[in-house]
Amino acid sequence: MDSATSEARTPARTPLGASADQGFKIVVVGGFGVGKTTLVRSVSEIRPLNTEETMTQAGATVDDIRQVRGKSATTVAFDFGRITLDARKVLYLFGAPGQERFWFLWDRLFSGTLGAVVLVDTRRIDDSWYAIDRLEHHGTPFVVACNDFGGPVRAGAEVREALDLDPRVPLVDCDARSRESGKQVLITLVQHVKHRYADPSARAGLPRQEFV
């Protein structure tokens, strides 16, 4: 899918206020080519740090690109973006690489994470299993966002069943190219995390955060 955002971008560099002293970390995970870099790019207030490299013929024997024929570059470490919440609080976004050969990086990225977005291409829904498994293993709150690639829309109940999602895990539709759509995904995640922290029975295993 095209990585251009659908709304006007803010200036390329937005200075971080000197009073900002509280950072929260969110990780965007999912399969290869589901739009993680695009989502981080669309919502970040700064020019994102991308570690994309051009895909070559040599990599065709390593990465399965049959379902992402139009993809010409891929993340080889992580993407990084930032959103200022207020004068003191800042949200840091990390996009994880999707290829199986880079999965060893995920556990490191999950360390200290407030929550995660699992981005899903419903045409390749099985590619989301590993991300959900690792997040559940770490006890990290997450939401699932179905990225719009212009194909047939799968019903939420069908997606939930295919992913065997806990009923409490939010499931939303999104367009990773749209800043407003991406912001709504992050808002849904923050609301979900706040609910988890407010529920004593669900608080065990959550990363320690001061979230108000």
Side-chain angles (χ1 to χ4, degrees):
M1 77 184 279
D2 193 294
S3 63
T5 58
S6 61
E7 287 91 5
R9 295 307 311 270
T10 53
R13 298 185 182 276
T14 304
L16 183 62
S19 61
D21 61 2
Q22 195 169 16
F24 301 101
K25 177 181 176 184
I26 285 178
V27 176
V28 182
V29 292
F32 181 43
V34 297
K36 300 180 295 296
T37 297
T38 301
L39 179 62
V40 173
R41 184 180 295 148
S42 69
V43 299
S44 176
E45 69 186 14
I46 61 171
R47 180 182 301 159
L49 167 65
N50 298 131
T51 56
E52 285 193 310
E53 295 293 340
T54 301
M55 298 179 67
T56 65
Q57 189 62 39
T61 59
V62 180
D63 301 320
D64 185 357
I65 62 171
R66 289 173 296 178
Q67 301 297 321
V68 287
R69 291 293 186 184
K71 191 170 178 62
S72 60
T74 186
T75 299
V76 295
F78 60 84
D79 304 308
F80 174 77
R82 189 189 79 206
I83 300 174
T84 300
L85 302 177
D86 59 31
R88 293 190 56 199
K89 300 182 183 68
V90 180
L91 190 66
Y92 297 110
L93 303 172
F94 291 82
Q99 302 99 306
E100 184 174 351
R101 58 194 168 110
F102 295 125
W103 284 354
F104 71 94
L105 295 170
W106 287 19
D107 287 348
R108 291 284 188 178
L109 284 176
F110 292 162
S111 177
T113 299
L114 178 71
V117 174
V118 179
L119 205 57
V120 174
D121 178 351
T122 56
R123 303 170 301 177
R124 300 179 288 123
I125 204 163
D126 288 348
D127 292 354
S128 308
W129 270 104
Y130 184 76
I132 292 174
D133 176 74
R134 298 314 300 165
L135 290 168
E136 290 179 340
H137 173 77
H138 283 271
T140 303
F142 66 92
V143 300
V144 174
C146 297
N147 196 8
D148 179 13
F149 282 87
V153 177
R154 298 182 67 169
E158 184 182 357
V159 175
R160 280 191 176 278
E161 182 177 2
L163 293 175
D164 192 25
L165 279 185
D166 186 303
R168 295 169 295 183
V169 174
L171 174 66
V172 298
D173 293 322
C174 79
D175 182 343
R177 299 166 298 182
S178 164
R179 167 171 288 181
E180 188 59 36
S181 181
K183 285 169 57 178
Q184 288 304 311
V185 172
L186 297 179
I187 289 170
T188 300
L189 173 61
V190 170
Q191 291 173 338
H192 177 56
V193 171
K194 291 183 72 173
H195 176 74
R196 287 280 303 272
Y197 274 96
D199 181 359
S201 66
R203 196 178 299 160
L206 287 174
R208 297 185 63 182
Q209 297 276 356
E210 181 186 348
F211 190 72
V212 294

